[in-house]
Amino acid sequence: MSNDSSGEAPSYRVGEVAARFGVAVSTLHWWEKQGLLAPARRAGRRVYGDADLRRIALIQLMQGTAMMSLPEIAVLLASSTADRDWRTAVGDRLATCDEQLARLTSARAHLAHMLTCPSDHPVDECTYLAEEIHAYLEAMPER
């Protein structure tokens, strides 16, 4: 990464930053267009400082770990927007995670049962699965 010995804060070119974070240069440009990044410009080129690197790390962390979308991350970075507070965005994401977790837990239970079902043909002979199918059909609205 670019560093000069003039005592100035380190600065990095867009290609260096993209390589460091494993993203395309166009991704950094897109994040800038979306208002997530605002790198300085020197001689018409983007220059990233340590604060920009921390911001990029936060964006990737929130995307990968918290599964937040770019608009949600934008609210988090801005602390609030005209229509959303960061706590609302985080609370909404948490509620979505809870819903997904419940669905995954249910899916796991069904799949684990299928593997442990004593029947050689669970689709046709499993009483647990037959009860689940019956309950599913009962819950459907009639046409």
Side-chain angles (χ1 to χ4, degrees), residues 4-97:
D4 64 63
S5 58
S6 67
E8 291 182 24
S11 61
Y12 314 100
R13 294 185 312 255
V14 68
E16 293 174 310
V17 174
R20 178 172 180 174
F21 286 96
V23 299
V25 168
S26 60
T27 298
L28 296 175
H29 292 175
W30 177 251
W31 290 352
E32 182 180 352
K33 186 175 181 178
Q34 298 302 305
L36 301 172
L37 296 174
R41 294 199 183 254
R42 287 194 199 135
R45 295 181 179 254
R46 291 169 177 87
V47 179
Y48 296 82
D50 288 337
D52 296 310
L53 299 185
R54 287 184 49 81
R55 197 167 178 104
I56 293 166
L58 176 68
I59 292 166
Q60 286 191 319
L61 183 66
M62 292 298 101
Q63 279 187 313
T65 304
M67 299 186 301
M68 292 181 82
S69 67
L70 291 181
E72 290 169 329
I73 295 168
V75 171
L76 181 64
L77 290 170
S79 296
S80 65
T81 62
D83 61 342
R84 277 183 103 177
D85 176 71
W86 71 268
R87 283 183 174 82
T88 303
V90 171
D92 290 349
R93 172 53 47 200
L94 184 59
T96 299
C97 287

